[in-house]
Amino acid sequence: MSEKKPATTEPSDVGKKQRRKFDAAFKAAAVEHCRLHGNNLFQAAQDLGINYWTLRDWVERAKSPPPSEPNTMPELEQENRRLKAELARVTEQRDILKKSLGILSTP
């Protein structure tokens, strides 16, 4: 009548996979391997022993150039003026929404 649970010597996380981490050199080499083989991501991923979606993400990141920083003082001043104008516009929109909310919420 007593139920016996089977004795387990395995830890609870035995079936879980460890997340692999790849260094920047491996990622760059994988992207280059993909480019050399005609951008066949599926085949390149199989050759390298990695997931297709992981390789696709690496290739997409390699395609997009990093955001460029303005270098000269006139560029910085122009960006500053643009940002101030945008801030003024957004602040005005916020104030209008606050006022409209006050008008709509009164009985």
Side-chain angles (χ1 to χ4, degrees):
M1 291 247 180
S2 66
E3 294 183 26
K4 291 184 180 179
K5 293 184 179 179
T8 60
T9 57
E10 302 173 353
S12 62
D13 59 3
V14 167
K16 296 180 182 177
K17 289 185 178 181
Q18 291 277 333
R19 184 178 183 106
R20 296 189 311 177
K21 295 185 180 183
F22 302 98
D23 62 347
F26 180 81
K27 292 177 184 180
V31 169
E32 188 62 29
H33 175 78
C34 181
R35 287 184 182 151
L36 290 175
H37 291 33
N39 286 332
N40 185 352
L41 293 177
F42 185 75
Q43 184 62 42
Q46 284 185 337
D47 292 346
L48 296 169
I50 59 176
N51 189 315
Y52 166 81
W53 296 104
T54 303
L55 181 59
R56 184 190 65 87
D57 288 344
W58 294 348
V59 170
E60 289 299 316
R61 286 188 196 130
K63 283 182 184 177
S64 62
S68 63
E69 296 290 326
N71 296 332
T72 63
M73 193 61 149
E75 288 176 355
L76 290 172
E77 290 171 351
Q78 181 182 7
E79 183 179 11
N80 194 15
R81 283 191 300 273
R82 182 186 62 80
L83 290 172
K84 283 182 179 181
E86 183 178 353
L87 177 62
R89 183 182 55 83
V90 169
T91 302
E92 183 180 5
Q93 287 177 348
R94 184 202 62 203
D95 292 342
I96 290 171
L97 287 172
K98 278 183 175 180
K99 289 176 185 177
S100 65
L101 181 62
I103 292 170
L104 293 174
S105 65
T106 57

